Amino acid sequence: MGSETKKKGKFSLTTKIFIALILGLIVGVIFNLAIPASYVRDTVFVDGIFYVIGNGFIKLMKMLVVPLVFCSLVCGASAIGDTKSLGKVGGKTIVFYLCTTALAVSVAIGVANVIKPGKGFDMSSIQAASDVTTTETTVTETLLNIIPDNPFGSLANGTMLQVIFFALIVGILLAKMGEKAELLSNFMNQCNDLMMEMTTLVMSFAPIGVFCMLARTFANLGFDAFVPLLKYMGSVVLALGVQLFVVYMFFLVIFTRLNPFKFLKKFFPVMAFAFSTSTSNATIPLNIDTLESKIGVPRKIASFTIPLGATINMDGTSIMQGVAVVFAAQAYGINLGLKGYVTVIATATLASIGTAGIPSVGLVTLSMVFASVGLPIEAIAIIMGIDRILDMLRTAVNITGDAVCTTVIAHQNKELDRKVFNS
């Protein structure tokens, strides 16, 4: 039935999601501006129906994350086959991801220093951010934490870097063993197919979930709340725009010679879904399918680079962190200097590697970035109120970065099907 609606185009899932996104925004604004506060509005709808259905959908997506990433990476790594080829693809992918993340933080710091969002801000309005957990982790601990003590514990707890590490080893060894591990390899492929089917099932509820999430978000946010933070929001949005339309499209044109406008047009439904759900992990199946069916990237490469990117390539999140650091430093009158900004770039890049692809997790890792340059953690409280809107935008940037990298890697491996892209 899903394929039939897709063929009609008019009723495709992505169209339904986009319609739900617009309707959710409109309904939310109506709830906020036109309907007075009451038990029915606040308790029954906003914190009742909208909250339960919206968060229920997000929990369904989270349910898929660990088995989906594990199976996709095992199958992706084993499908590449040759371990030398896998090493080249993996190495290039990680270097590309780290370079774009470092560039993203630099762009954010540059834009924020031009706009100066924190100048003249009244710091007396800040309340302690008691619900933000601060976790300081050294570089050596972060590197050692990639290796799981117990891979089954990592799978159970959803420790994504450890899950990825274990999945890659399993995939590489399956490729190396060849026919000897054919039974296990087939089993993993069937598990991967099962997870894709389960994802399709869950995704069929996406329009309802998206509508409820956005309706609740805009019902709670009055326009007055935006006024003191418009410059901060503008800085983040501008930096995200530079990263998306300048940095990514520059890489796409330089490395692949593809038409960037056509790429964005074909990839837009994935960006719209990422915007509405605010979770990179939820877009993994749609991202892989779009890259294969519309861009011409072979599934074996996309199945490897996209789940990896959903965990270690968080350029949009890094941009928010870069702008937030400048905002807080200016608001508190702290001069970070060149050394401070270099520290921020390095820490934000490192923090993005361990950032799970779920909504608003960047706020938690932001405390690590603030701590690295001695900024008060309480400043995060200012950002929390409007983070949901920006989280939607930066998630769309995150997954576009994954897709551009994947397209570049496929081209360099001489496996990009230009006929599919040009069709």
Side-chain angles (χ1 to χ4, degrees):
M1 192 170 166
S3 59
E4 284 173 18
T5 53
K6 225 169 188 180
K7 282 175 189 172
K8 289 178 186 175
K10 188 177 168 186
F11 302 105
S12 70
L13 180 63
T14 48
T15 305
K16 288 178 183 176
I17 289 168
F18 191 69
I19 292 169
L21 188 151
I22 301 297
L23 288 176
L25 192 151
I26 293 168
V27 169
V29 169
I30 290 170
F31 264 67
N32 182 264
L33 298 179
I35 301 175
S38 65
Y39 175 81
V40 174
R41 189 197 79 167
D42 298 330
T43 307
V44 176
F45 281 96
V46 178
D47 293 325
I49 295 168
F50 294 161
Y51 177 79
V52 171
I53 296 175
N55 277 40
F57 175 68
I58 288 293
K59 284 180 80 69
L60 281 172
M61 296 308 305
K62 287 182 184 176
M63 175 186 78
L64 299 171
V65 169
V66 173
L68 180 65
V69 169
F70 180 76
C71 295
S72 290
L73 278 179
V74 169
C75 294
S78 62
I80 291 175
D82 179 15
T83 49
K84 282 185 182 176
S85 172
L86 179 65
K88 283 180 186 174
V89 170
K92 286 178 185 175
T93 302
I94 291 167
V95 168
F96 190 99
Y97 283 156
L98 291 178
C99 287
T100 56
T101 302
L103 268 172
V105 188
S106 305
V107 165
I109 290 171
V111 168
N113 272 300
V114 170
I115 296 178
K116 302 187 186 308
K119 286 286 181 187
F121 195 86
D122 180 14
M123 296 312 294
S124 62
S125 63
I126 299 174
Q127 295 177 352
S130 57
D131 53 342
V132 176
T133 307
T134 308
T135 309
E136 291 188 55
T137 311
T138 64
V139 176
T140 49
E141 283 174 342
T142 302
L143 292 173
L144 284 172
N145 284 340
I146 294 172
I147 305 169
D149 294 323
N150 175 3
F152 296 104
S154 303
L155 287 162
N157 296 324
T159 314
M160 293 312 297
L161 273 183
Q162 296 181 359
V163 169
I164 285 174
F165 183 84
F166 184 63
L168 289 177
I169 291 176
V170 172
I172 290 165
L173 292 178
L174 282 177
K176 189 178 179 184
M177 291 170 72
E179 290 182 6
K180 285 194 288 184
E182 191 175 359
L183 186 66
L184 183 57
S185 187
N186 288 337
F187 172 73
M188 288 308 304
N189 279 309
Q190 287 169 345
C191 286
N192 193 37
D193 291 341
L194 173 66
M195 289 315 304
M196 288 296 177
E197 284 295 321
M198 193 179 293
T199 303
T200 304
L201 175 66
V202 171
M203 288 289 288
S204 65
F205 298 102
I208 301 167
V210 166
F211 170 80
C212 290
M213 282 188 293
L214 282 182
R216 183 171 188 269
T217 298
F218 283 91
N220 283 328
L221 283 178
F223 288 121
D224 291 345
F226 290 147
V227 177
L229 297 169
L230 277 178
K231 282 169 77 178
Y232 168 77
M233 291 178 72
S235 301
V236 176
V237 171
L238 180 58
L240 289 171
V242 171
Q243 185 73 6
L244 176 61
F245 297 113
V246 179
V247 175
Y248 289 157
M249 295 307 108
F250 174 79
F251 280 129
L252 189 73
V253 172
I254 290 295
F255 288 112
T256 69
R257 305 292 177 188
L258 293 177
N259 183 331
F261 300 105
K262 185 175 274 191
F263 179 90
L264 287 170
K265 185 182 177 183
K266 285 173 173 275
F267 197 70
F268 180 75
V270 188
M271 294 166 69
F273 181 70
F275 174 84
S276 60
T277 60
S278 299
T279 159
S280 299
N281 286 332
T283 65
I284 289 172
L286 190 60
N287 205 340
I288 292 171
D289 285 339
T290 302
L291 285 168
E292 183 185 32
S293 61
K294 294 184 181 179
I295 309 296
V297 175
R299 182 171 280 268
K300 66 177 183 179
I301 288 180
S303 293
F304 173 79
T305 56
I306 295 300
L308 188 64
T311 298
I312 73 167
N313 188 41
M314 295 287 172
D315 296 350
T317 303
S318 299
I319 282 171
M320 177 274 288
Q321 293 172 344
V323 175
V325 163
V326 176
F327 174 75
Q330 290 173 350
Y332 277 102
I334 298 170
N335 182 21
L336 292 178
L338 181 62
K339 185 184 174 185
Y341 286 132
V342 170
T343 303
V344 168
I345 292 168
T347 311
T349 303
L350 190 67
S352 76
I353 295 173
T355 303
I358 55 176
S360 297
V361 74
L363 283 173
V364 178
T365 55
L366 180 59
S367 61
M368 173 179 162
V369 179
F370 271 34
S372 71
V373 285
L375 285 173
I377 304 300
E378 286 75 21
I380 297 174
I382 323 165
I383 297 158
M384 291 180 71
I386 56 163
D387 184 68
R388 180 67 176 162
I389 304 291
L390 297 175
D391 196 24
M392 296 171 182
L393 290 169
R394 64 177 183 256
T395 304
V397 171
N398 286 343
I399 57 97
T400 307
D402 300 344
V404 169
C405 173
T406 301
T407 307
V408 169
I409 298 298
H411 170 75
Q412 291 190 334
N413 272 35
K414 296 180 172 56
E415 294 186 66
L416 182 66
D417 190 340
R418 289 175 178 271
K419 287 180 183 176
V420 172
F421 181 81
N422 291 320
S423 63

